[in-house]
């Protein structure tokens, strides 16, 4: 494939821009249709959760699209090209995350009927903890979204020469517009369309690339002969960028911080009609994640077969690993007008889905955690107007952060996961302490959050200042021997600088006398472990401080805040004769157990939002939340959800 590797740089044509523009128009049209025609937004609750009447299929696809952004469209194929097929183990980490979320975290959030996940921290600990969690989440999400918006702007700038500011503004303006107008429903239904576009783009690259490389069998043979089929890498060294254990431990905890307790995802599955529908949405999400990640990894292997003898980075055709994928698309579809535009739409779709999700979630936590507690008498209509205004403000803020994301030097995939790991990992630890350690108190969880954030930030900053060598990360060798032009080492060394050094196959350590001892040990660990470090240090420090300062007594905790309280209620309270069918169309009535007095402000004051009565299915474990003396509650039928 040297001919492809040495081809002149191509550009997009009129057909490509037409396909791209069509995707933008359809996304905007869906947002307007849902927001202006089908929407019944009467309150901030409707704006942020779609009235909690959504079905599992669109919610599941939206969950899959939310973190499968242009970061993955650009980053995953490049990582698979440089590190091999073992990146597919990411799917196993995502599967474990989905199972843990469905079993432990989803039931608590769903049955409490919370719009903001950080309401839980106040119920379990104190308002101070809630505000700390809210601010940490807003910081993490704004930084992550900025990187995500920057990614497709990078594509447009590098492969077409389009001004990067025009790219940033168009990306941010479109997703901010339909998110502000349509709220959660608009975000979810545009996500469904954008998942289809993403998969179509990947599959077009897989089909065309395999055909040019001699067929799937030839691609696999080339990959095997050059160590790209390396699934059986069980090296326990945490400095290896990707191994089985990296994905199973670090990857699982990283995705759990994104799906188990992250506002953007929790806000989606609590918008489902029933808890069973919410769990089904997680299953659909897992299928979507598997299709996207496996397709992106396959594109990386195809890329290696195409550029096996002429690595574009070594030959100077590109200046960063994230540019592998757009260059491949332009090379293999040079004679097929319109198809490169499909890939551009693919990457842009991922960005729109993630950015709109994040903007809506940041507006939700601001309303629920900051505005409502201070202005409780605001009318629902006014709150909805404020919510739309906040969506507009956060969209603009993400655009500003995107402009700074061009400073990320390690690739958009590592940059985005580093931000989420450093800031979201400790938050996962805080929620885990609250749900699974009754003794944890406010002092303990605050100390844990500080310790987790400090440790994960320390290693992330250290890695940025003293990057690990290519050899320690496990970069696989590549070649530019088949290139027709001059070698990258002579033609582009001044332009690429240390980047070429990082991608050289030798990976020789840098002899820097000022390099500290931790640079090749602690700072060299895989970025997928950053979140795990934050989570585990938060849990350990929080537990230790709680026991030293006087643990919380189990009996003083409000009902429903511990995970096993819900499990015990489901197992022991519900009558044996109650039967729930899959469709929940016929359910035998359940006797209500004796009820105890509900603590003040335990759940939302509006009972219609508490456990969502009036649905076809409500978990009978919620009977533990009800109180004697609240007579209007007794009329609600309590029903079973299969855990």
């Amino acid at each position: 494939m040297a001919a492809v590797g040495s081809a002149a740089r191509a550009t997009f044509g009129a057909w490509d821009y037409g396909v791209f523009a069509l995707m933008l128009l359809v996304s905007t049209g869906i947002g307007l249709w849902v927001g202006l025609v089908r929407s019944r937004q009467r309150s901030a609750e409707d704006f942020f959760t779609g009235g909690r009447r959504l079905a599992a299929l669109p919610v599941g696809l939206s969950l899959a699209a939310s973190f499968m952004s242009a970061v993955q469209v650009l980053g995953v194929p490049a990582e698979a090209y440089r590190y091999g097929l073992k990146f597919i183990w990411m799917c196993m980490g995502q599967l474990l995350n989905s199972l843990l979320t469905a079993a432990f975290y989803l039931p608590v959030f769903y049955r409490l009927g919370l719009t903001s996940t950080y309401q839980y921290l106040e119920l379990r600990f104190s308002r101070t903890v809630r505000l700390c969690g809210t601010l940490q989440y807003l910081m993490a999400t704004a930084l992550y979204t900025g990187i995500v918006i920057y990614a497709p702007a990078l594509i447009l700038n590098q492969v077409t020469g389009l001004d990067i500011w025009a790219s940033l503004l168009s990306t941010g303006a479109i997703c901010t517009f339909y998110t502000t107008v349509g709220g959660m429903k608009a975000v979810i239904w545009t996500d469904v369309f954008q998942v289809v576009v993403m998969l179509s783009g990947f599959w077009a690259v897989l089909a065309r690339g395999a055909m040019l490389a001699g067929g799937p069998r030839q691609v696999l043979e080339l990959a095997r002969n050059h160590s790209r089929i390396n699934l059986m890498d069980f090296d326990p060294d945490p400095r290896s960028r990707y191994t089985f254990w990296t994905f199973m431990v670090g990857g699982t905890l990283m995705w759990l911080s994104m799906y188990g307790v992250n506002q953007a995802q929790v806000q989606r599955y609590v918008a489902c009609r029933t808890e069973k529908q919410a769990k089904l949405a997680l299953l659909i999400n897992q299928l979507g994640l598997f299709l996207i990640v496996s397709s992106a990894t396959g594109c990386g292997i195809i890329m290696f077969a195409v550029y096996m003898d002429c690595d574009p980075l070594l030959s100077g055709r590109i200046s960063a690993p994230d540019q592998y994928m757009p260059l491949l698309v332009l090379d293999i579809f040079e004679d097929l007008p319109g198809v490169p535009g499909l890939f551009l739409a693919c990457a842009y779709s991922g960005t729109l889905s993630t950015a709109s999700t994040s903007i809506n979630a940041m507006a939700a936590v601001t309303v629920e955690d900051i505005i409502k507690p201070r202005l409780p008498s605001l009318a629902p209509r006014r709150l909805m107007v404020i919510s739309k205004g906040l969506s507009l403000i956060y969209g603009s803020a993400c655009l500003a952060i995107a402009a700074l994301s061009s400073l990320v030097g390690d690739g958009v995939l590592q940059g985005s996961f580093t931000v989420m790991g450093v800031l979201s990992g400790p938050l996962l630890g805080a929620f885990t302490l609250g749900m699974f350690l009754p003794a944890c108190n406010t002092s303990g969880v605050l100390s844990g959050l500080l310790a987790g954030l400090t440790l994960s930030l320390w290693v992330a900053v250290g890695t940025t200042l003293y990057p690990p060598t290519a050899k320690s990360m496990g970069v696989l060798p590549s070649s530019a021997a088949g290139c027709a032009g001059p070698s990258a080492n002579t033609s582009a060394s001044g332009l690429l600088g240390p980047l070429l050094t990082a991608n050289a196959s030798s990976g020789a350590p840098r002899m820097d006398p000022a390099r500290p001892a931790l640079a090749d040990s602690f700072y060299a660990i895989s970025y997928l472990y950053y979140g795990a470090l934050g989570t585990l240090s938060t849990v350990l420090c929080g537990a230790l401080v709680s026991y030293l300062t006087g643990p919380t007594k189990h009996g003083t905790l409000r009902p429903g805040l511990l995970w096993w309280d819900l499990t015990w209620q489901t197992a022991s309270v519900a009558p044996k004769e109650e039967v729930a069918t899959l469709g929940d169309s016929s359910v035998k009535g359940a006797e209500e157990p004796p009820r105890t007095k509900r603590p003040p402000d335990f759940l939302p004051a509006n009972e219609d939002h508490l456990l969502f009565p009036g649905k076809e299915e409500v978990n009978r474990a919620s009977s533990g939340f009800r109180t004697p003396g609240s007579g209007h509650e007794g009329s609600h039928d309590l029903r079973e959800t299969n855990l």
Side-chain angles (χ1 to χ4, degrees):
M1 302 301 296
V4 173
S6 60
R9 180 178 178 180
T11 58
F12 286 145
W15 283 101
D16 302 318
Y17 286 113
V19 173
F20 176 49
L22 179 63
M23 185 278 298
L24 297 180
L25 288 175
V26 172
S27 295
T28 306
I30 291 173
L32 289 175
W33 178 69
V34 173
L36 300 178
V37 180
R38 294 290 300 272
S39 177
R40 293 179 293 176
Q41 296 174 5
R42 300 184 179 89
S43 65
E45 179 83 2
D46 291 336
F47 183 76
F48 291 130
T49 65
R52 304 187 192 269
R53 295 183 298 269
L54 300 175
L57 180 60
V59 171
L61 293 177
S62 178
L63 285 169
S66 294
F67 283 109
M68 289 291 115
S69 62
V71 166
Q72 278 70 31
V73 174
L74 291 173
V76 173
E79 296 295 286
Y81 174 88
R82 301 176 70 209
Y83 296 95
L85 192 61
K86 58 185 174 182
F87 198 92
I88 201 72
W89 285 120
M90 177 68 83
C91 296
M92 186 61 69
Q94 291 168 334
L95 175 60
L96 287 177
N97 151 68
S98 296
L99 295 176
L100 291 171
T101 298
F104 298 112
Y105 296 94
L106 183 152
V108 175
F109 290 125
Y110 192 91
R111 297 175 199 185
L112 290 177
L114 306 178
T115 299
S116 167
T117 57
Y118 305 100
Q119 291 173 264
Y120 173 86
L121 294 179
E122 182 173 1
L123 293 172
R124 176 63 176 84
F125 299 109
S126 68
R127 177 152 182 80
T128 301
V129 179
R130 176 181 181 176
L131 288 176
C132 286
T134 299
L135 294 176
Q136 197 163 323
Y137 168 76
L138 290 175
M139 185 185 302
T141 306
L143 291 173
Y144 179 82
T145 307
I147 295 174
V148 165
I149 293 176
Y150 166 71
L154 172 69
I155 300 177
L156 292 172
N157 179 258
Q158 295 294 332
V159 300
T160 70
L162 183 64
D163 182 76
I164 196 167
W165 280 102
S167 307
L168 292 175
L169 291 174
S170 59
T171 307
I174 289 173
C175 66
T176 301
F177 173 67
Y178 71 71
T179 303
T180 302
V181 172
M184 173 62 75
K185 283 188 177 180
V187 171
I188 285 180
W189 283 108
T190 50
D191 283 353
V192 172
F193 166 69
Q194 288 154 8
V195 164
V196 174
V197 174
M198 275 194 283
L199 289 174
S200 300
F202 280 134
W203 291 345
V205 172
L206 287 172
R208 177 67 172 174
M211 182 180 70
L212 292 178
R217 181 174 298 180
Q218 177 68 12
V219 170
L220 290 175
E221 186 66 26
L222 290 173
R224 184 180 298 109
N225 292 339
H226 293 82
S227 306
R228 258 61 184 184
I229 308 298
N230 51 1
L231 292 173
M232 309 310 290
D233 186 353
F234 297 101
D235 184 2
D237 187 351
R239 295 174 301 174
S240 295
R241 189 178 179 91
Y242 301 124
T243 68
F244 174 83
W245 302 113
T246 305
F247 291 115
M248 296 300 288
V249 179
T252 298
L253 288 177
M254 180 196 67
W255 285 105
L256 193 59
S257 71
M258 292 184 179
Y259 278 81
V261 301
N262 186 284
Q263 170 68 25
Q265 306 300 68
V266 174
Q267 191 176 333
R268 274 157 181 66
Y269 57 64
V270 300
C272 290
R273 298 189 185 108
T274 65
E275 186 177 325
K276 187 179 292 183
Q277 287 278 306
K279 292 182 177 180
L280 180 59
L282 275 175
L283 179 63
I284 295 171
N285 153 73
Q286 182 56 46
L287 178 61
L289 289 176
F290 175 77
L291 289 175
I292 294 172
V293 173
S294 59
S295 299
T297 305
C299 287
I301 301 303
I302 291 288
M303 192 187 303
F304 175 76
V306 172
Y307 294 132
M308 181 180 62
D309 296 324
C310 185
D311 186 301
L313 190 62
L314 296 180
S315 66
R317 296 188 67 201
I318 59 176
S319 58
D322 298 318
Q323 298 167 25
Y324 275 118
M325 190 66 176
L327 178 67
L328 174 72
V329 169
L330 289 176
D331 280 344
I332 66 177
F333 291 117
E334 186 178 4
D335 57 342
L336 295 174
V339 184
L342 178 62
F343 166 75
L344 187 61
C346 163
Y348 219 104
S349 292
T351 292
L352 291 176
S353 65
T354 301
S356 59
T357 294
S358 300
I359 291 168
N360 187 264
M362 287 189 289
V365 298
T366 304
V367 168
E368 295 293 330
D369 298 336
I370 298 176
I371 295 177
K372 272 189 177 181
R374 296 183 178 276
L375 301 171
S377 59
L378 278 178
R381 285 285 184 183
R382 181 163 294 185
L383 270 177
M384 190 174 69
V385 173
I386 292 174
S387 303
K388 290 176 179 288
L390 285 170
S391 296
L392 186 61
I393 291 171
Y394 280 123
S396 303
C398 290
L399 276 176
I401 295 172
L404 302 176
S405 298
S406 58
L407 302 176
V408 175
D410 295 319
V412 291
L413 188 68
Q414 178 173 341
S416 61
F417 282 175
T418 296
V419 168
M420 294 306 292
V422 168
L423 295 174
S424 296
L427 287 177
L428 173 61
F431 282 100
T432 302
L433 283 170
M435 294 179 188
F436 298 98
L437 187 66
C440 187
N441 58 28
T442 298
S443 299
V445 73
L446 288 175
S447 301
L449 278 172
L450 180 60
L453 181 61
T454 301
L455 184 63
S456 53
L457 186 61
W458 176 24
V459 66
V461 171
T463 303
T464 303
L465 296 176
Y466 304 100
T469 63
K471 182 177 182 180
S472 67
M473 290 191 298
V475 177
L476 297 174
S478 55
S479 171
C483 297
S487 170
N489 292 326
T490 59
S491 65
S493 57
L495 173 67
L496 304 183
L499 184 61
L500 285 178
T501 305
N503 286 277
S505 58
S506 63
R510 282 163 278 193
M511 303 303 294
D512 185 356
R515 192 172 175 86
L518 290 177
D520 296 316
S521 54
F522 185 58
Y523 295 162
I525 66 171
S526 172
Y527 69 92
L528 292 179
Y529 283 119
Y530 296 169
L533 274 176
T535 300
L536 295 177
S537 54
T538 299
V539 170
L540 293 176
C541 181
L544 178 62
V545 172
S546 295
Y547 281 107
L548 291 176
T549 58
T552 301
K553 294 182 179 180
H554 192 170
T556 63
L557 296 178
R558 298 166 176 175
L561 297 180
L562 297 175
W563 174 79
W564 51 71
D565 284 350
L566 301 178
T567 305
W568 178 82
Q569 290 161 4
T570 302
S572 62
V573 174
K576 293 181 180 179
E577 63 268 19
E578 179 179 283
V579 178
T581 63
L582 181 62
D584 300 301
S585 57
S586 61
V587 184
K588 295 184 180 180
E591 297 180 5
E592 289 195 19
R595 295 171 290 188
T596 58
K597 186 175 182 181
R598 178 193 303 175
D601 72 12
F602 166 54
L603 289 174
N606 185 350
E607 196 67 18
D608 289 339
H609 293 157
L610 167 61
L611 302 175
F612 325 123
K615 299 179 183 180
E616 295 298 323
E617 177 192 71
V618 178
N619 195 294
R620 67 189 177 192
S622 62
S623 57
F625 303 156
R626 300 184 178 271
T627 69
S630 49
H632 68 286
E633 298 177 34
S635 63
H636 295 307
D637 186 21
L638 300 181
R639 302 183 182 176
E640 177 181 354
T641 297
N642 295 324
L643 286 175

